[in-house]
Amino acid sequence: MISVLVVEDEEITAEAHRVYVDRVPGFQVAGVVRSGGEALRFLRRQHVDLVLLDLYLPDMHGLEVCRAIRAAGVLCDVIVITSARDLSMVRSAVSVGVAQYVLKPFTFAALNEKLRQYAKFRSTVDAPGEASGQGEVDDMLAALRGPARSHLPKGLTRPTLEAVVAELRGASDGLSATAVATSVGVSRVTARRYLEHLTESGVTRRLPQYGGIGRPELVYQLI
């Protein structure tokens, strides 16, 4: 079994990641922590094979955690799970040894593929002996960082999903499906499909909005 430490400060998101990992055959969650300091203390006490690491933690940046892990000589791999899309951040993550960089929002299918790629990589590099040549080394790295695929439910598109997320980022109190539909230029039913997908992926949460007569309207807020 490949043991995994989940490092995520948002409780709902951390639980979603824990559930996702436990659903993948061959993986088990060894622990869930909410800060960089907790992660480093955990790794000093207990070995894990893989760390799922958010970058925006309350006490330190995730890349600082990576550097501290390497400086301490802790042997584990890191997959970053973050909403940070800055290409310089991706480059910095690679420079400190991050194995994969997963952007929020994502589905279980997307994380499942990443973890299976990692498991295939581990099964190859953990085998005894030497590489037969450059081709075998290339195959190992290709197993870890295979081609990207789209795992959106049928009928949803990546550009529209990103537009919905962009609208939510600008609304700290959340938005209703009606508001998102108006801003993005889709129907309310379509907007709700995207919002429900984000909620099921652990990226947003539903909140009741009171103020009118009758049932409260649901708003969706980024976690």
Side-chain angles (χ1 to χ4, degrees), residues 18-51:
R18 184 195 67 77
V19 171
Y20 277 5
V21 172
D22 279 340
R23 286 175 60 188
V24 181
F27 288 81
Q28 63 180 4
V29 174
V32 178
V33 298
R34 303 288 165 71
S35 70
E38 285 184 74
L40 296 174
R41 288 190 292 273
F42 186 100
L43 292 171
R44 283 196 289 268
R45 298 192 310 267
Q46 182 176 337
H47 169 76
V48 299
D49 300 301
L50 179 65
V51 177

Side-chain angles (χ1 to χ4, degrees), residues 117-185:
Q117 287 174 343
Y118 175 76
K120 183 177 180 181
F121 167 76
R122 282 294 303 268
S123 68
T124 304
V125 298
D126 288 347
E130 298 181 350
S132 60
Q134 184 63 50
E136 186 173 354
V137 173
D138 291 343
D139 288 343
M140 290 179 186
L141 296 178
L144 180 62
R145 294 174 179 167
R149 301 176 188 174
S150 174
H151 291 285
L152 290 177
K154 186 176 180 180
L156 304 190
T157 67
R158 184 68 55 185
T160 303
L161 181 66
E162 291 177 353
V164 170
V165 172
E167 292 298 325
L168 291 171
R169 284 201 188 101
S172 59
D173 293 332
L175 292 172
S176 67
T178 301
V180 170
T182 301
S183 298
V184 176

